[in-house]
Amino acid sequence: MYDVAIIGSGPAGLTAAIYTCRADLKTIVIDGMAPGGQLMITSEVENFPGFPEGIQGPELMGKMRKQAEKFGAEFKAGELSGIDTGGKPFKLTVGSDAFEAKSVIIATGSSSRWLGLEAEQELRGKGVSACATCDGFFFQDRVVAVIGGGDAATEEATFLTRFAKKVYLIHRRDELRASAAMVKKTMENDKVEIIWNSVPIDILDKAEGKVTAIVLRNVKTDETTELPVDGVFVAIGHDPATGVFAGKIELDDHGYIISKEHTNTSVPGIFVAGDVSDTRYKQGISAAGSGCRAAIDALKYVEGEDASAGW
């Protein structure tokens, strides 16, 4: 029996573990499919407070994990395979192992959708990114491409004009799917050039270990062109890791967990933190902050207080 089970070991989950353990709650952390979360595939992190010289993503997550272990967090390798939310305590399974918890913090995160190109994976962190806010600074006076046509893509393209001298927005259709306000803002930006009816089919150059160009195919003419760029930002959406919770916890139309008062979910005693409920910010520091809040809410719940009330 645990006081709290934390599902996920990214910034949200590990911050929650630090707080629950320091509050003397018996805590287990289920690593999940990708221990450490998305920061494990992020090279240089320059926007996390406390590291003025920057820090490698895996190193940052390693430090957070050691801190949680220092205060007594137990870790369970593997992915949550089942959860019974119908009674108390909650029953959770990881593979063939089962255990119980008085409260649960879901911090399973979300993952960026990728194009599915082999070069995209090999050049991730070497010019290929899914986060302009995280990596835009590295492209001062460079030429970059943004893939997508929705609000996320137009916002990323506009943001990147703060750093890049030229931003190509590549969209597979002949009109953007973004909101009218974002379309207007993008179209009026002199640094942004939209390439219509085109999809990326390759990213160069794996041999050089950096992005030098993107290969595009026009969906109407089937013509192939090579566009020289220094970076590629993929902005085609995110997928929250909530499959195991479907039908057990209230989700929105896109699969994100709906948070109610504070970090509460539709099930009393189950709380949420990080990108699995965050459709807007998706930053390591905002995930960590929500992990702190979920831990405090879980503590109040275990102590018998109403976690939905103010205090």
Side-chain angles (χ1 to χ4, degrees), residues 32-48:
M33 182 173 61
Q38 292 196 73
L39 282 180
M40 294 297 290
I41 56 173
T42 303
S43 52
E44 191 78 11
V45 179
E46 291 193 325
N47 56 3
F48 202 96

Side-chain angles (χ1 to χ4, degrees), residues 90-172:
F90 300 107
K91 296 176 175 59
L92 303 94
T93 55
V94 178
S96 60
D97 296 327
F99 52 92
E100 297 180 333
K102 298 174 185 176
S103 65
V104 175
I105 296 174
I106 300 173
T108 48
S110 68
S111 57
S112 301
R113 292 178 192 154
W114 295 95
L115 301 169
L117 304 175
E118 179 184 345
E120 172 186 55
Q121 302 305 313
E122 293 194 24
L123 293 172
R124 195 185 299 180
K126 302 174 182 177
V128 173
S129 173
C131 180
T133 309
C134 309
D135 300 325
F137 179 79
F138 299 112
F139 293 88
Q140 298 274 1
D141 298 320
R142 302 291 187 89
V143 178
V144 300
V146 175
I147 314 300
D151 279 340
T154 52
E155 287 173 5
E156 297 260 288
T158 302
F159 178 82
L160 285 166
T161 59
R162 301 182 185 187
F163 311 102
K165 63 182 180 182
K166 178 78 173 182
V167 178
Y168 291 103
L169 180 58
I170 299 165
H171 187 41
R172 59 184 176 178

Side-chain angles (χ1 to χ4, degrees), residues 1-6 24-28 84 87-92 99-105 267-271 297-304:
M1 173 68 71
Y2 293 90
D3 291 314
V4 58
I6 299 172
D24 203 28
L25 296 184
K26 187 178 181 183
T27 301
I28 185 168
D84 182 357
K88 309 290 174 61
F90 300 107
K91 296 176 175 59
L92 303 94
F99 52 92
E100 297 180 333
K102 298 174 185 176
S103 65
V104 175
I105 296 174
V267 179
I270 297 184
F271 306 91
D297 288 344
L299 170 63
K300 297 298 181 182
Y301 177 83
V302 170
E303 290 181 339

Side-chain angles (χ1 to χ4, degrees), residues 156 218 308:
E156 297 260 288
N218 187 292
S308 67

Side-chain angles (χ1 to χ4, degrees), residues 177-190:
R177 296 179 290 106
S179 63
M182 282 308 304
V183 170
K184 183 175 185 295
K185 189 174 182 179
T186 304
M187 301 283 278
E188 291 178 350
N189 194 314
D190 292 338

Side-chain angles (χ1 to χ4, degrees), residues 188-235:
E188 291 178 350
N189 194 314
D190 292 338
K191 282 190 174 182
V192 178
E193 179 179 337
I194 303 175
I195 299 179
W196 305 103
N197 302 310
S198 297
V199 294
I201 59 174
D202 198 6
I203 301 173
L204 308 177
D205 187 348
K206 291 188 295 182
E208 292 190 28
K210 64 178 182 179
V211 172
T212 60
I214 185 168
V215 182
L216 303 174
R217 179 179 65 82
N218 187 292
V219 296
K220 290 191 172 182
T221 66
D222 212 32
E223 179 186 4
T224 299
T225 57
E226 191 174 301
L227 180 69
V229 294
D230 301 297
V232 175
F233 288 81
V234 182

